[in-house]
Amino acid sequence: VQLQASGGGLVQPGGSLRLPCAASGSIFRTYFMAWYRQAPGKQRELVAHITSGGSTYYVDSVKGRFTISRDNAKNTVYLQMYSLKPEDTAVYYCYATYAGVHYWGKGTQVTVSS
C-alpha cells in the first residue's frame, strides 16, 4: 500500500486546510485509515481515524474543528481542518493498516502562523 498525502501549507490562525491522502490498492474500502501529526520536539500523535465502516475518532484537541472522511471510489481519505491554531503546526502523516501490516505516507507540513 502506498500513501500520498498532500494539501499542507502556511495558513493564518482561524484558517482552514484540507489534506487528502491517496492510497493504492483495490481494497481501499477495507483499510483502517488515520492521520497522525508530529510537532517539532514532540512525539507523533494520533489526530483522527476512520474505520472501514466509517466510524471516526478524534483526539480531544481537534474535536469540533477537524473532520476525517473517506471516499472509497477515489481511494482517498481526507482531513478537513477548520479554525486552525498555531498549536496545530506539525507534519501530518497519513496512516493505513490492513491485515496486520502498517503503512505510512510521507508527511505534509502544516504551519499555522500570522
Side-chain angles (χ1 to χ4, degrees), residues 85-97:
K85 304 175 180 180
E87 51 263 43
D88 295 318
T89 295
V91 178
Y92 284 71
Y93 296 90
C94 184
Y95 164 88
T97 185

Side-chain angles (χ1 to χ4, degrees), residues 17-37:
L17 279 176
R18 188 177 78 154
L19 307 182
C21 173
S24 64
S26 60
I27 51 173
F28 171 80
R29 66 187 183 282
T30 67
Y31 300 165
F32 175 99
M33 302 295 299
W35 285 96
Y36 284 74
R37 66 185 179 187

